[in-house]
Amino acid sequence: MRNRSNQTRPSSRKTGKLIAIILLLLVVFGATGIFSFNYFIGQMLEPVGEGELAYVQIDDGAVISDVAETLAENNLIRDAFAFEMLAKKENTANQIQSGYYTFSPTESAQQILDRLVSGDVADATVTIPEGRNISEFAEILEEKNVCDADAFIEETKKVAEYQKNYPILSSIPLTEKDGVSRTLEGYLFPDTYSFSPDTEPSEVVTAMLDRFVEVYDQDYLKRTKEMGKTVDEIVIMASIVELETKLVEDKANAASVFYNRIAANMPLQSDITVDYARGEKTAVLTTEQTQFPSPYNTYINTGLPYGPICSFGETSLEAALYPAETNYLYFVADMNSGKIYFNETYEEHLQDVEKYMGN
């Protein structure tokens, strides 16, 4: 990414002054001189040529000379003075709109000016799929040039700061468990967003939290209270349901299984919680892997894991809030279709495991 400094470049200023002097001299020599100068200016407005895309920020209230200097510094125009003259000639010098733009050196000065006047800013459309965790969010954001992945991850660790502005986060514990600290995992709602290149991670997090608050509305908050649960408990459950189910029609039953196991003081034994703890996705866990030490491992710990394991869609949230009323304690998924088969007894479960998983 190119330098985006708005500082004045002395050499460009000198070039502009030199052109102004040449203009005066040419005018003295008459029409031929003026024609030659116009031709020269026209050449200065031609595209720079080949080169990388450059992201340019135009600040609110920036004057045309500053805009021209910024474009020249980023190798997007041949000469700042010529660009400034073009804008003044077209009476658009005061119509340039602020924002983040993406320009190519193959664009002419006229094309760049037109885009600045129309406000053709370079917002990046980013789609965050359901079922992704913060690390996966970070990769997507960096690929789209929205923000640095590591900086985004660090921002999501500032739970206490965001709790001040978002009461819905109040049930997230701030104390470590087995050396593990909570982040905003699960609370950054998956959706399609528009961000400018090089957006501050805090702005990205805020946009995603705002969307979460929109989805987790007063009706859902009321239902959470009716269930005697905290928002954090529902968010954790919804994240598990999200990754354990492929089909919407299975979500409410899956949620019922986990709630029933918690009520029976049985470990959830959810493979995906172990995947999250290990930081690696595995189709089928080995016995050794199920013993991985972590407060997120629901094979060695009863109850819910320490925190959410992904960001979920609204259908999973609804399942966590409105689980089916069943006596199911087990389920297995068909490895091919993703369809889940539920059972009340372990014997029935083993039969389905052999039928749909082979072993």
Side-chain angles (χ1 to χ4, degrees):
M1 193 173 293
R2 297 180 183 277
N3 176 32
R4 291 176 291 279
S5 173
N6 286 326
Q7 295 180 350
T8 300
R9 186 201 290 175
S11 60
S12 296
R13 291 293 189 187
K14 291 179 180 178
T15 300
K17 291 179 180 179
L18 179 60
I19 292 176
I21 293 172
I22 293 173
L23 174 59
L24 292 175
L25 293 174
L26 290 174
V27 169
V28 172
F29 288 101
T32 302
I34 294 175
F35 174 80
S36 299
F37 179 74
N38 287 338
Y39 175 78
F40 175 73
I41 289 294
Q43 290 296 105
M44 290 297 98
L45 297 177
E46 290 294 313
V48 171
E50 299 297 324
E52 297 179 1
L53 290 175
Y55 300 106
V56 176
Q57 182 175 1
I58 304 300
D59 295 329
D60 188 30
V63 296
I64 187 60
S65 58
D66 291 335
V67 173
E69 290 292 342
T70 298
L71 295 172
E73 289 170 2
N74 284 276
N75 195 39
L76 292 168
I77 58 174
R78 291 175 179 268
D79 186 84
F81 179 76
F83 183 86
E84 187 175 345
M85 285 191 64
L86 173 66
K88 290 180 177 179
K89 176 185 176 183
E90 297 190 354
N91 294 319
T92 56
N94 296 322
Q95 298 177 25
I96 290 176
Q97 299 188 41
S98 61
Y100 234 121
Y101 294 82
T102 303
F103 293 121
S104 167
T106 61
E107 295 179 89
S108 68
Q110 183 69 63
Q111 289 174 314
I112 291 174
L113 178 61
D114 290 343
R115 290 181 57 198
L116 287 168
V117 171
S118 66
D120 183 18
V121 292
D123 286 340
T125 299
V126 181
T127 298
I128 305 297
E130 299 168 355
R132 302 295 176 89
N133 58 44
I134 281 176
S135 295
E136 292 169 322
F137 276 29
E139 291 178 6
I140 295 171
L141 292 167
E142 185 166 280
E143 287 174 2
K144 293 289 187 177
N145 294 315
V146 173
C147 64
D148 178 76
D150 292 337
F152 175 76
I153 291 173
E154 286 303 311
E155 187 68 25
T156 65
K157 296 178 181 179
K158 301 176 182 179
V159 177
E161 292 184 23
Y162 284 98
Q163 283 181 332
K164 297 175 184 177
N165 296 320
Y166 293 91
I168 201 167
L169 306 177
S170 62
S171 57
I172 301 176
L174 298 178
T175 54
E176 291 187 357
K177 186 172 183 179
D178 298 338
V180 178
S181 298
R182 285 287 300 273
T183 67
L184 293 173
E185 187 77 85
Y187 290 84
L188 306 180
F189 200 79
D191 208 334
T192 297
Y193 298 90
S194 290
F195 297 113
S196 298
D198 282 356
T199 297
E200 289 295 324
S202 59
E203 293 182 35
V204 178
V205 169
T206 296
M208 293 179 174
L209 286 177
D210 286 345
R211 183 72 183 105
F212 178 85
V213 172
E214 289 179 6
V215 173
Y216 210 121
D217 59 19
Q218 291 300 315
D219 288 338
Y220 286 156
L221 288 172
K222 180 180 178 181
R223 173 59 181 169
T224 302
K225 187 175 181 180
E226 290 173 351
M227 295 177 70
K229 307 287 186 184
T230 66
V231 170
D232 198 48
E233 289 173 327
I234 296 298
V235 169
I236 294 172
M237 179 62 77
S239 73
I240 297 174
V241 171
E242 179 66 44
L243 289 185
E244 285 283 13
T245 58
K246 182 177 181 180
L247 306 177
V248 174
E249 56 263 33
D250 290 332
K251 291 183 181 295
N253 281 332
S256 76
V257 169
F258 293 124
Y259 281 126
N260 290 342
R261 291 179 75 92
I262 290 173
N265 200 32
M266 298 172 64
L268 300 188
Q269 294 185 320
S270 170
D271 289 8
I272 55 172
T273 64
V274 181
D275 287 343
Y276 185 82
R278 296 174 61 241
E280 181 181 355
K281 295 182 179 180
T282 306
V284 180
L285 295 172
T286 65
T287 300
E288 182 181 359
Q289 289 170 335
T290 63
Q291 300 306 301
F292 185 83
S294 169
Y296 284 88
N297 186 343
T298 57
Y299 273 83
I300 60 177
N301 301 292
T302 56
L304 292 170
Y306 181 47
I309 56 176
C310 73
S311 286
F312 46 84
E314 191 167 1
T315 55
S316 294
L317 174 59
E318 290 179 347
L321 288 167
Y322 299 94
E325 295 183 8
T326 75
N327 293 317
Y328 294 142
L329 291 172
Y330 307 92
F331 67 77
V332 62
D334 186 321
M335 298 293 283
N336 295 316
S337 67
K339 175 64 181 174
I340 293 180
Y341 297 89
F342 299 89
N343 296 112
E344 295 182 13
T345 68
Y346 187 58
E347 291 72 24
E348 293 172 323
H349 172 65
L350 290 179
Q351 293 175 16
D352 278 347
V353 168
E354 183 176 357
K355 181 177 181 179
Y356 297 108
M357 296 187 67
N359 290 301

